[in-house]
């Protein structure tokens, strides 16, 4: 994992007169973009709040509206990230990564050399807690052992 280099070089005229930290914050909105994308796909902020509640945490409709406009100034807690993942129906690992990029200017490395299906599977597994992840590993290893025994 590596931190992304922040590019403060701007060429458009209006941005040249904005403070660097404001321009940087405008460019870093990955978590906000996930919320906007879900909303653009037809999920209302109220529906997001209801999905979050079914995941065990109350996040209000206005909170999702603020997230969508990049108006939340502090990073969401781990519990809130789980609720946001449920609200937008994305793997927790994807939501955590978006929050890290938006609030910490942190860039995780990609899984290079793998297709999209493999990356999605890994993202789902990465979002699981230890016992659940171990159960999936055992199932994968058992499947491999059965295939090897059949050969």
């Amino acid at each position: 994992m590596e931190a992304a280099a922040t590019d403060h070089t701007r060429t458009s005229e209006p941005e040249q007169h904005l403070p660097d930290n404001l321009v940087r914050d405008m460019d870093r909105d990955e978590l906000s973009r996930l919320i906007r994308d879900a909303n653009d796909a037809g999920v209302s902020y109220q529906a997001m709040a209801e999905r979050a509640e079914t995941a065990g945490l109350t996040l209000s409709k206005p909170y999702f509206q603020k997230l969508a406009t990049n108006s939340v100034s502090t990073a969401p807690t781990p519990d809130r990230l789980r609720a946001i993942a449920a609200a937008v129906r994305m793997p927790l690992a994807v939501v955590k990564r978006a929050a890290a990029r938006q609030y910490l200017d942190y860039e995780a490395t990609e899984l290079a050399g793998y297709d999209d299906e493999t990356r999605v599977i890994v993202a789902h597994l990465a979002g699981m807690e230890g016992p659940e992840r171990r159960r999936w590993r055992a199932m994968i290893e058992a499947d491999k052992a059965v295939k090897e025994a059949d050969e």
Side-chain angles (χ1 to χ4, degrees), residues 112-135:
Y114 295 101
D115 61 16
D116 287 339
E117 278 190 28
T118 302
R119 281 193 291 273
V120 168
I121 291 166
V122 170
H124 279 284
L125 291 172
M128 294 177 182
E129 298 296 324
E132 188 178 16
R133 191 171 40 241
R134 285 190 296 277
R135 183 174 62 84

Side-chain angles (χ1 to χ4, degrees), residues 8-135:
H8 294 288
T9 310
R10 301 286 180 243
T11 57
S12 66
E13 190 62 31
E15 290 183 354
Q16 288 180 350
H17 301 291
L18 295 173
D20 282 346
N21 64 333
L22 180 59
V23 171
R24 183 186 66 240
D25 290 345
M26 288 169 49
D27 289 343
R28 287 192 339 228
D29 73 337
E30 286 81 359
L31 183 61
S32 296
R33 192 173 306 124
L34 288 178
I35 303 300
R36 288 193 306 272
D37 289 349
N39 185 252
D40 290 345
V43 182
S44 70
Y45 298 122
Q46 183 61 45
M48 289 181 210
E50 290 166 4
R51 288 177 180 176
E53 191 166 345
T54 62
L57 188 67
T58 302
L59 295 180
S60 67
K61 173 184 170 182
Y63 181 79
F64 283 102
Q65 290 170 317
K66 287 179 182 179
L67 270 177
T69 60
N70 200 1
S71 299
V72 175
S73 60
T74 57
T77 64
D79 285 341
R80 283 187 171 197
L81 290 174
R82 280 190 283 283
I84 292 166
V88 295
R89 294 197 172 142
M90 296 288 289
L92 179 58
V94 172
V95 173
K96 283 181 175 180
R97 180 182 175 151
R101 291 182 73 190
Q102 180 165 327
Y103 291 98
L104 303 174
D105 198 20
Y106 179 80
E107 180 83 34
T109 57
E110 292 288 329
L111 290 171
Y114 295 101
D115 61 16
D116 287 339
E117 278 190 28
T118 302
R119 281 193 291 273
V120 168
I121 291 166
V122 170
H124 279 284
L125 291 172
M128 294 177 182
E129 298 296 324
E132 188 178 16
R133 191 171 40 241
R134 285 190 296 277
R135 183 174 62 84

